[in-house]
Amino acid sequence: MTLARHLGAAIVLAVLIVLLSIQLSAYRDYQLAEVAAYLVAVAGLTVLIGLSGQISIGNGAFMAIGGYTTALLLTHLGWPLVLILLASVVVAAAGGAIFGVAAARLRGPYLAGATLMLAVALPTVANQFQSQLGGDQGLSVAITAPGFLGATFPPTRWQAWVTCAAALIALILLANLNRSRVGRSWRAVRDDEVAAALSGLNVARLQVLAFVVSAACAGLGGGLLAVVTGIVAPGAYTLTLSIALLTAAVLGGLGTLPGALWGSLVLVLVPTYLTNVGASHGLSSGASSSVPIAAYGVILIVVMLVFPAGIQGGLRRLFGSGAPAPPTRTPITSLRRHIPFAALRRPAQGSENQEEGPS
C-alpha cells in the first residue's frame, strides 16, 4: 500500500510537471531540470545525515563521478541515456561503498574531515588524465530529443522531462526505503549505536549501506546535471558544490524528502535572483556573484533560528499541527528502558568492598 500510494503521488506530480513545463519558457525549463538534478543529490544526502546520522561534506565528488561516467559512456559507447544513467549510479555507488568501508570507523568531525578531503581531491583527477577526462576544459555532453516529438520540440523541455522523471523514480525508491526495515534500522543507529548493536543490528554494515545509497543518488544527480548543462568539468564539482548540497539539505530539513525539494529550490533559484538584483543595483559582476554566498549564510542562520527542523519542519509546525510528525523514536531506542545499562558500566573503585559490607 505504501508503494502504491507513492506511485500514485508520483504520477500526479509527473502530469503536473508536464503541464507546467509546456507553459514555461526555455530558461524556466532549464531551471526546472537543474532543480530536479540537484534534488536527487540533496535527497541522498538528507537520507545519509538525517536517517543514519553520518555527516558528509563530499557528495560533490560523487556527483563528479556520475557526471564523468555519463560523459565518457555517451562519447565512447553511445549507449541509450537510460543505460548511461544507470551505469553512473552503479559506478558512484561502488565509489561510495569503497569510501564507506574505509570510513566506517570514523565518527563526527573525523568523518566530516575525510569526506572534505574527498571533495577537494577527487575533482583534481581530471587534470592528471587530461587526454581521457579533458583537463580543465572538461568533456561535452549532448543529447537530443526523440524524433517523434518533432524537430521543433524545445531541447530544454526534453531535459526537464528526463531529469524530473529520474528524480521522481529516485524519490519513490528513497521513500519506500525510508519506510522499510532498513530505514527503521538507520534511525535506530542514528539515535543510539550501542542500543542498535545490542539489539542485533550490524551497525557498520548499515552505515556503509547509507553511504552507498547517498553516493548512488549523488551519481545520478551528477549525470543528470551533465545532461542539463552539456559539459562536465572540474570547476563544476568544487568544494563549493559539496557545501551547497549540505546547506540545501539542512535548510530543507534533514531526514525529509520534501525538505530536499525546498533546499534544491533555494540552491537553484536564490543565486540567480540575487545576482540579477545585484546587477540591477549597479554592482560589478564580481560583487554580484558574491551576493548569493552571503545570502546563503543569512538564510541558513535565519532558518536555524526560526525553524530548527528546516523549512519542512517549519511548514509542518505552521500548517500541519494536526498531522503526525515523522517518527523520532523507534523500537530500538525504547530498548534502552529495558536494558540495565548501569550494570554495564565499570564499577567505581572500592564498590566491590562496599557491596560485600562488613563481614
PDB file of all heavy atoms in Angstrom, residues 64-99:
ATOM      1  N   ALA A  64      30.611  14.271  -9.303  1.00  0.00           N
ATOM      2  CA  ALA A  64      31.630  14.294 -10.349  1.00  0.00           C
ATOM      3  C   ALA A  64      31.804  12.907 -10.972  1.00  0.00           C
ATOM      4  O   ALA A  64      31.951  12.771 -12.192  1.00  0.00           O
ATOM      5  CB  ALA A  64      32.954  14.791  -9.778  1.00  0.00           C
ATOM      6  N   ILE A  65      31.777  11.864 -10.141  1.00  0.00           N
ATOM      7  CA  ILE A  65      31.893  10.505 -10.665  1.00  0.00           C
ATOM      8  C   ILE A  65      30.736  10.201 -11.612  1.00  0.00           C
ATOM      9  O   ILE A  65      30.929   9.662 -12.715  1.00  0.00           O
ATOM     10  CB  ILE A  65      31.932   9.494  -9.502  1.00  0.00           C
ATOM     11  CG1 ILE A  65      33.218   9.665  -8.687  1.00  0.00           C
ATOM     12  CG2 ILE A  65      31.818   8.063 -10.027  1.00  0.00           C
ATOM     13  CD1 ILE A  65      33.280   8.768  -7.463  1.00  0.00           C
ATOM     14  N   GLY A  66      29.518  10.552 -11.199  1.00  0.00           N
ATOM     15  CA  GLY A  66      28.371  10.318 -12.071  1.00  0.00           C
ATOM     16  C   GLY A  66      28.423  11.139 -13.347  1.00  0.00           C
ATOM     17  O   GLY A  66      28.085  10.647 -14.437  1.00  0.00           O
ATOM     18  N   GLY A  67      28.861  12.398 -13.235  1.00  0.00           N
ATOM     19  CA  GLY A  67      28.927  13.250 -14.413  1.00  0.00           C
ATOM     20  C   GLY A  67      29.950  12.763 -15.420  1.00  0.00           C
ATOM     21  O   GLY A  67      29.677  12.701 -16.637  1.00  0.00           O
ATOM     22  N   TYR A  68      31.139  12.416 -14.957  1.00  0.00           N
ATOM     23  CA  TYR A  68      32.178  11.941 -15.876  1.00  0.00           C
ATOM     24  C   TYR A  68      31.827  10.578 -16.461  1.00  0.00           C
ATOM     25  O   TYR A  68      32.138  10.298 -17.629  1.00  0.00           O
ATOM     26  CB  TYR A  68      33.527  11.883 -15.153  1.00  0.00           C
ATOM     27  CG  TYR A  68      34.266  13.197 -15.177  1.00  0.00           C
ATOM     28  CD1 TYR A  68      34.252  14.045 -14.085  1.00  0.00           C
ATOM     29  CD2 TYR A  68      34.974  13.609 -16.306  1.00  0.00           C
ATOM     30  CE1 TYR A  68      34.921  15.264 -14.096  1.00  0.00           C
ATOM     31  CE2 TYR A  68      35.646  14.817 -16.343  1.00  0.00           C
ATOM     32  CZ  TYR A  68      35.616  15.641 -15.232  1.00  0.00           C
ATOM     33  OH  TYR A  68      36.269  16.855 -15.264  1.00  0.00           O
ATOM     34  N   THR A  69      31.190   9.716 -15.685  1.00  0.00           N
ATOM     35  CA  THR A  69      30.752   8.429 -16.226  1.00  0.00           C
ATOM     36  C   THR A  69      29.739   8.632 -17.348  1.00  0.00           C
ATOM     37  O   THR A  69      29.811   7.983 -18.401  1.00  0.00           O
ATOM     38  CB  THR A  69      30.138   7.566 -15.118  1.00  0.00           C
ATOM     39  OG1 THR A  69      31.103   7.369 -14.078  1.00  0.00           O
ATOM     40  CG2 THR A  69      29.713   6.220 -15.651  1.00  0.00           C
ATOM     41  N   THR A  70      28.819   9.548 -17.136  1.00  0.00           N
ATOM     42  CA  THR A  70      27.829   9.852 -18.184  1.00  0.00           C
ATOM     43  C   THR A  70      28.495  10.374 -19.442  1.00  0.00           C
ATOM     44  O   THR A  70      28.185   9.939 -20.563  1.00  0.00           O
ATOM     45  CB  THR A  70      26.818  10.883 -17.652  1.00  0.00           C
ATOM     46  OG1 THR A  70      26.130  10.344 -16.526  1.00  0.00           O
ATOM     47  CG2 THR A  70      25.813  11.256 -18.728  1.00  0.00           C
ATOM     48  N   ALA A  71      29.435  11.307 -19.282  1.00  0.00           N
ATOM     49  CA  ALA A  71      30.104  11.896 -20.446  1.00  0.00           C
ATOM     50  C   ALA A  71      30.943  10.860 -21.200  1.00  0.00           C
ATOM     51  O   ALA A  71      30.917  10.805 -22.441  1.00  0.00           O
ATOM     52  CB  ALA A  71      30.978  13.064 -19.997  1.00  0.00           C
ATOM     53  N   LEU A  72      31.680  10.024 -20.477  1.00  0.00           N
ATOM     54  CA  LEU A  72      32.542   9.038 -21.127  1.00  0.00           C
ATOM     55  C   LEU A  72      31.724   7.983 -21.867  1.00  0.00           C
ATOM     56  O   LEU A  72      32.044   7.615 -23.007  1.00  0.00           O
ATOM     57  CB  LEU A  72      33.443   8.375 -20.087  1.00  0.00           C
ATOM     58  CG  LEU A  72      34.545   9.259 -19.482  1.00  0.00           C
ATOM     59  CD1 LEU A  72      35.245   8.544 -18.346  1.00  0.00           C
ATOM     60  CD2 LEU A  72      35.548   9.675 -20.549  1.00  0.00           C
ATOM     61  N   LEU A  73      30.671   7.480 -21.246  1.00  0.00           N
ATOM     62  CA  LEU A  73      29.854   6.462 -21.900  1.00  0.00           C
ATOM     63  C   LEU A  73      29.126   7.028 -23.110  1.00  0.00           C
ATOM     64  O   LEU A  73      28.994   6.354 -24.138  1.00  0.00           O
ATOM     65  CB  LEU A  73      28.855   5.881 -20.899  1.00  0.00           C
ATOM     66  CG  LEU A  73      29.445   5.053 -19.756  1.00  0.00           C
ATOM     67  CD1 LEU A  73      28.340   4.574 -18.834  1.00  0.00           C
ATOM     68  CD2 LEU A  73      30.230   3.871 -20.300  1.00  0.00           C
ATOM     69  N   LEU A  74      28.663   8.250 -23.003  1.00  0.00           N
ATOM     70  CA  LEU A  74      27.956   8.862 -24.130  1.00  0.00           C
ATOM     71  C   LEU A  74      28.902   9.141 -25.283  1.00  0.00           C
ATOM     72  O   LEU A  74      28.527   8.999 -26.460  1.00  0.00           O
ATOM     73  CB  LEU A  74      27.284  10.157 -23.668  1.00  0.00           C
ATOM     74  CG  LEU A  74      26.335  10.835 -24.659  1.00  0.00           C
ATOM     75  CD1 LEU A  74      25.160   9.917 -24.974  1.00  0.00           C
ATOM     76  CD2 LEU A  74      25.839  12.157 -24.105  1.00  0.00           C
ATOM     77  N   THR A  75      30.149   9.504 -24.971  1.00  0.00           N
ATOM     78  CA  THR A  75      31.112   9.852 -26.019  1.00  0.00           C
ATOM     79  C   THR A  75      31.677   8.616 -26.711  1.00  0.00           C
ATOM     80  O   THR A  75      31.772   8.576 -27.948  1.00  0.00           O
ATOM     81  CB  THR A  75      32.262  10.679 -25.427  1.00  0.00           C
ATOM     82  OG1 THR A  75      31.730  11.854 -24.825  1.00  0.00           O
ATOM     83  CG2 THR A  75      33.268  11.060 -26.504  1.00  0.00           C
ATOM     84  N   HIS A  76      32.035   7.607 -25.938  1.00  0.00           N
ATOM     85  CA  HIS A  76      32.764   6.463 -26.496  1.00  0.00           C
ATOM     86  C   HIS A  76      31.879   5.282 -26.859  1.00  0.00           C
ATOM     87  O   HIS A  76      32.207   4.530 -27.778  1.00  0.00           O
ATOM     88  CB  HIS A  76      33.836   6.007 -25.499  1.00  0.00           C
ATOM     89  CG  HIS A  76      34.874   7.047 -25.208  1.00  0.00           C
ATOM     90  ND1 HIS A  76      35.831   7.441 -26.131  1.00  0.00           N
ATOM     91  CD2 HIS A  76      35.103   7.797 -24.099  1.00  0.00           C
ATOM     92  CE1 HIS A  76      36.613   8.372 -25.606  1.00  0.00           C
ATOM     93  NE2 HIS A  76      36.184   8.613 -24.373  1.00  0.00           N
ATOM     94  N   LEU A  77      30.782   5.092 -26.160  1.00  0.00           N
ATOM     95  CA  LEU A  77      29.945   3.931 -26.412  1.00  0.00           C
ATOM     96  C   LEU A  77      28.607   4.280 -27.047  1.00  0.00           C
ATOM     97  O   LEU A  77      28.030   3.453 -27.744  1.00  0.00           O
ATOM     98  CB  LEU A  77      29.709   3.153 -25.105  1.00  0.00           C
ATOM     99  CG  LEU A  77      30.966   2.589 -24.431  1.00  0.00           C
ATOM    100  CD1 LEU A  77      30.596   1.822 -23.167  1.00  0.00           C
ATOM    101  CD2 LEU A  77      31.741   1.689 -25.380  1.00  0.00           C
ATOM    102  N   GLY A  78      28.092   5.474 -26.767  1.00  0.00           N
ATOM    103  CA  GLY A  78      26.828   5.881 -27.361  1.00  0.00           C
ATOM    104  C   GLY A  78      25.640   5.078 -26.900  1.00  0.00           C
ATOM    105  O   GLY A  78      24.699   4.836 -27.664  1.00  0.00           O
ATOM    106  N   TRP A  79      25.655   4.644 -25.651  1.00  0.00           N
ATOM    107  CA  TRP A  79      24.532   3.874 -25.113  1.00  0.00           C
ATOM    108  C   TRP A  79      23.270   4.727 -25.020  1.00  0.00           C
ATOM    109  O   TRP A  79      23.336   5.963 -25.050  1.00  0.00           O
ATOM    110  CB  TRP A  79      24.880   3.360 -23.720  1.00  0.00           C
ATOM    111  CG  TRP A  79      25.897   2.271 -23.688  1.00  0.00           C
ATOM    112  CD1 TRP A  79      26.510   1.685 -24.762  1.00  0.00           C
ATOM    113  CD2 TRP A  79      26.412   1.621 -22.526  1.00  0.00           C
ATOM    114  NE1 TRP A  79      27.385   0.726 -24.341  1.00  0.00           N
ATOM    115  CE2 TRP A  79      27.342   0.647 -22.978  1.00  0.00           C
ATOM    116  CE3 TRP A  79      26.178   1.753 -21.171  1.00  0.00           C
ATOM    117  CZ2 TRP A  79      28.041  -0.167 -22.098  1.00  0.00           C
ATOM    118  CZ3 TRP A  79      26.865   0.940 -20.282  1.00  0.00           C
ATOM    119  CH2 TRP A  79      27.785  -0.016 -20.749  1.00  0.00           C
ATOM    120  N   PRO A  80      22.118   4.090 -24.882  1.00  0.00           N
ATOM    121  CA  PRO A  80      20.895   4.862 -24.584  1.00  0.00           C
ATOM    122  C   PRO A  80      21.038   5.597 -23.253  1.00  0.00           C
ATOM    123  O   PRO A  80      21.750   5.153 -22.344  1.00  0.00           O
ATOM    124  CB  PRO A  80      19.804   3.785 -24.518  1.00  0.00           C
ATOM    125  CG  PRO A  80      20.340   2.655 -25.321  1.00  0.00           C
ATOM    126  CD  PRO A  80      21.822   2.672 -25.133  1.00  0.00           C
ATOM    127  N   LEU A  81      20.359   6.702 -23.145  1.00  0.00           N
ATOM    128  CA  LEU A  81      20.520   7.558 -21.973  1.00  0.00           C
ATOM    129  C   LEU A  81      20.129   6.836 -20.689  1.00  0.00           C
ATOM    130  O   LEU A  81      20.762   7.036 -19.643  1.00  0.00           O
ATOM    131  CB  LEU A  81      19.678   8.829 -22.147  1.00  0.00           C
ATOM    132  CG  LEU A  81      19.809   9.879 -21.041  1.00  0.00           C
ATOM    133  CD1 LEU A  81      21.247  10.351 -20.894  1.00  0.00           C
ATOM    134  CD2 LEU A  81      18.882  11.061 -21.311  1.00  0.00           C
ATOM    135  N   VAL A  82      19.109   5.993 -20.738  1.00  0.00           N
ATOM    136  CA  VAL A  82      18.681   5.285 -19.532  1.00  0.00           C
ATOM    137  C   VAL A  82      19.785   4.380 -19.015  1.00  0.00           C
ATOM    138  O   VAL A  82      20.096   4.353 -17.815  1.00  0.00           O
ATOM    139  CB  VAL A  82      17.405   4.473 -19.821  1.00  0.00           C
ATOM    140  CG1 VAL A  82      17.028   3.618 -18.622  1.00  0.00           C
ATOM    141  CG2 VAL A  82      16.258   5.403 -20.190  1.00  0.00           C
ATOM    142  N   LEU A  83      20.433   3.639 -19.921  1.00  0.00           N
ATOM    143  CA  LEU A  83      21.527   2.756 -19.513  1.00  0.00           C
ATOM    144  C   LEU A  83      22.719   3.553 -19.001  1.00  0.00           C
ATOM    145  O   LEU A  83      23.404   3.131 -18.058  1.00  0.00           O
ATOM    146  CB  LEU A  83      21.944   1.861 -20.685  1.00  0.00           C
ATOM    147  CG  LEU A  83      20.904   0.850 -21.168  1.00  0.00           C
ATOM    148  CD1 LEU A  83      21.454   0.029 -22.324  1.00  0.00           C
ATOM    149  CD2 LEU A  83      20.470  -0.062 -20.034  1.00  0.00           C
ATOM    150  N   ILE A  84      22.972   4.700 -19.608  1.00  0.00           N
ATOM    151  CA  ILE A  84      24.087   5.533 -19.164  1.00  0.00           C
ATOM    152  C   ILE A  84      23.852   6.035 -17.743  1.00  0.00           C
ATOM    153  O   ILE A  84      24.761   6.017 -16.899  1.00  0.00           O
ATOM    154  CB  ILE A  84      24.293   6.702 -20.147  1.00  0.00           C
ATOM    155  CG1 ILE A  84      24.826   6.180 -21.480  1.00  0.00           C
ATOM    156  CG2 ILE A  84      25.240   7.746 -19.571  1.00  0.00           C
ATOM    157  CD1 ILE A  84      24.968   7.243 -22.549  1.00  0.00           C
ATOM    158  N   LEU A  85      22.644   6.488 -17.466  1.00  0.00           N
ATOM    159  CA  LEU A  85      22.344   6.974 -16.116  1.00  0.00           C
ATOM    160  C   LEU A  85      22.412   5.840 -15.095  1.00  0.00           C
ATOM    161  O   LEU A  85      22.896   6.035 -13.969  1.00  0.00           O
ATOM    162  CB  LEU A  85      20.970   7.631 -16.097  1.00  0.00           C
ATOM    163  CG  LEU A  85      20.842   8.937 -16.902  1.00  0.00           C
ATOM    164  CD1 LEU A  85      19.412   9.459 -16.859  1.00  0.00           C
ATOM    165  CD2 LEU A  85      21.802  10.006 -16.363  1.00  0.00           C
ATOM    166  N   LEU A  86      21.937   4.650 -15.469  1.00  0.00           N
ATOM    167  CA  LEU A  86      22.041   3.515 -14.562  1.00  0.00           C
ATOM    168  C   LEU A  86      23.500   3.155 -14.295  1.00  0.00           C
ATOM    169  O   LEU A  86      23.879   2.838 -13.151  1.00  0.00           O
ATOM    170  CB  LEU A  86      21.304   2.308 -15.148  1.00  0.00           C
ATOM    171  CG  LEU A  86      19.775   2.386 -15.158  1.00  0.00           C
ATOM    172  CD1 LEU A  86      19.189   1.160 -15.851  1.00  0.00           C
ATOM    173  CD2 LEU A  86      19.234   2.489 -13.744  1.00  0.00           C
ATOM    174  N   ALA A  87      24.338   3.206 -15.332  1.00  0.00           N
ATOM    175  CA  ALA A  87      25.758   2.934 -15.139  1.00  0.00           C
ATOM    176  C   ALA A  87      26.405   3.977 -14.245  1.00  0.00           C
ATOM    177  O   ALA A  87      27.271   3.658 -13.415  1.00  0.00           O
ATOM    178  CB  ALA A  87      26.464   2.888 -16.500  1.00  0.00           C
ATOM    179  N   SER A  88      25.995   5.235 -14.364  1.00  0.00           N
ATOM    180  CA  SER A  88      26.522   6.286 -13.495  1.00  0.00           C
ATOM    181  C   SER A  88      26.150   6.021 -12.046  1.00  0.00           C
ATOM    182  O   SER A  88      26.962   6.240 -11.134  1.00  0.00           O
ATOM    183  CB  SER A  88      25.985   7.646 -13.944  1.00  0.00           C
ATOM    184  OG  SER A  88      26.352   7.921 -15.277  1.00  0.00           O
ATOM    185  N   VAL A  89      24.930   5.546 -11.822  1.00  0.00           N
ATOM    186  CA  VAL A  89      24.503   5.212 -10.467  1.00  0.00           C
ATOM    187  C   VAL A  89      25.356   4.078  -9.903  1.00  0.00           C
ATOM    188  O   VAL A  89      25.814   4.126  -8.748  1.00  0.00           O
ATOM    189  CB  VAL A  89      23.014   4.830 -10.463  1.00  0.00           C
ATOM    190  CG1 VAL A  89      22.603   4.256  -9.115  1.00  0.00           C
ATOM    191  CG2 VAL A  89      22.153   6.046 -10.796  1.00  0.00           C
ATOM    192  N   VAL A  90      25.599   3.042 -10.710  1.00  0.00           N
ATOM    193  CA  VAL A  90      26.360   1.882 -10.242  1.00  0.00           C
ATOM    194  C   VAL A  90      27.801   2.273  -9.927  1.00  0.00           C
ATOM    195  O   VAL A  90      28.357   1.883  -8.885  1.00  0.00           O
ATOM    196  CB  VAL A  90      26.314   0.762 -11.302  1.00  0.00           C
ATOM    197  CG1 VAL A  90      27.260  -0.370 -10.915  1.00  0.00           C
ATOM    198  CG2 VAL A  90      24.897   0.237 -11.447  1.00  0.00           C
ATOM    199  N   VAL A  91      28.433   3.056 -10.801  1.00  0.00           N
ATOM    200  CA  VAL A  91      29.828   3.450 -10.582  1.00  0.00           C
ATOM    201  C   VAL A  91      29.943   4.322  -9.339  1.00  0.00           C
ATOM    202  O   VAL A  91      30.846   4.144  -8.504  1.00  0.00           O
ATOM    203  CB  VAL A  91      30.380   4.178 -11.822  1.00  0.00           C
ATOM    204  CG1 VAL A  91      31.771   4.738 -11.554  1.00  0.00           C
ATOM    205  CG2 VAL A  91      30.420   3.235 -13.012  1.00  0.00           C
ATOM    206  N   ALA A  92      29.043   5.285  -9.183  1.00  0.00           N
ATOM    207  CA  ALA A  92      29.081   6.146  -7.994  1.00  0.00           C
ATOM    208  C   ALA A  92      28.796   5.341  -6.735  1.00  0.00           C
ATOM    209  O   ALA A  92      29.418   5.579  -5.683  1.00  0.00           O
ATOM    210  CB  ALA A  92      28.067   7.281  -8.139  1.00  0.00           C
ATOM    211  N   ALA A  93      27.869   4.377  -6.801  1.00  0.00           N
ATOM    212  CA  ALA A  93      27.586   3.539  -5.636  1.00  0.00           C
ATOM    213  C   ALA A  93      28.801   2.704  -5.265  1.00  0.00           C
ATOM    214  O   ALA A  93      29.087   2.510  -4.065  1.00  0.00           O
ATOM    215  CB  ALA A  93      26.391   2.636  -5.924  1.00  0.00           C
ATOM    216  N   ALA A  94      29.538   2.210  -6.257  1.00  0.00           N
ATOM    217  CA  ALA A  94      30.761   1.459  -5.969  1.00  0.00           C
ATOM    218  C   ALA A  94      31.791   2.347  -5.279  1.00  0.00           C
ATOM    219  O   ALA A  94      32.452   1.928  -4.317  1.00  0.00           O
ATOM    220  CB  ALA A  94      31.331   0.872  -7.258  1.00  0.00           C
ATOM    221  N   GLY A  95      31.930   3.582  -5.755  1.00  0.00           N
ATOM    222  CA  GLY A  95      32.831   4.511  -5.080  1.00  0.00           C
ATOM    223  C   GLY A  95      32.389   4.802  -3.660  1.00  0.00           C
ATOM    224  O   GLY A  95      33.215   4.894  -2.742  1.00  0.00           O
ATOM    225  N   GLY A  96      31.080   4.940  -3.444  1.00  0.00           N
ATOM    226  CA  GLY A  96      30.578   5.160  -2.096  1.00  0.00           C
ATOM    227  C   GLY A  96      30.817   3.963  -1.194  1.00  0.00           C
ATOM    228  O   GLY A  96      31.100   4.131  -0.002  1.00  0.00           O
ATOM    229  N   ALA A  97      30.729   2.744  -1.750  1.00  0.00           N
ATOM    230  CA  ALA A  97      30.987   1.548  -0.947  1.00  0.00           C
ATOM    231  C   ALA A  97      32.451   1.490  -0.524  1.00  0.00           C
ATOM    232  O   ALA A  97      32.760   1.172   0.636  1.00  0.00           O
ATOM    233  CB  ALA A  97      30.619   0.300  -1.746  1.00  0.00           C
ATOM    234  N   ILE A  98      33.352   1.804  -1.446  1.00  0.00           N
ATOM    235  CA  ILE A  98      34.783   1.779  -1.104  1.00  0.00           C
ATOM    236  C   ILE A  98      35.093   2.808  -0.026  1.00  0.00           C
ATOM    237  O   ILE A  98      35.769   2.513   0.969  1.00  0.00           O
ATOM    238  CB  ILE A  98      35.626   2.027  -2.370  1.00  0.00           C
ATOM    239  CG1 ILE A  98      35.443   0.880  -3.361  1.00  0.00           C
ATOM    240  CG2 ILE A  98      37.093   2.194  -2.015  1.00  0.00           C
ATOM    241  CD1 ILE A  98      36.090   1.116  -4.700  1.00  0.00           C
ATOM    242  N   PHE A  99      34.588   4.009  -0.215  1.00  0.00           N
ATOM    243  CA  PHE A  99      34.859   5.045   0.780  1.00  0.00           C
ATOM    244  C   PHE A  99      34.133   4.745   2.088  1.00  0.00           C
ATOM    245  O   PHE A  99      34.660   5.016   3.169  1.00  0.00           O
ATOM    246  CB  PHE A  99      34.427   6.410   0.241  1.00  0.00           C
ATOM    247  CG  PHE A  99      34.764   7.547   1.169  1.00  0.00           C
ATOM    248  CD1 PHE A  99      36.022   8.105   1.185  1.00  0.00           C
ATOM    249  CD2 PHE A  99      33.805   8.055   2.044  1.00  0.00           C
ATOM    250  CE1 PHE A  99      36.339   9.138   2.041  1.00  0.00           C
ATOM    251  CE2 PHE A  99      34.106   9.082   2.899  1.00  0.00           C
ATOM    252  CZ  PHE A  99      35.380   9.635   2.900  1.00  0.00           C
TER     253      PHE A  99
END
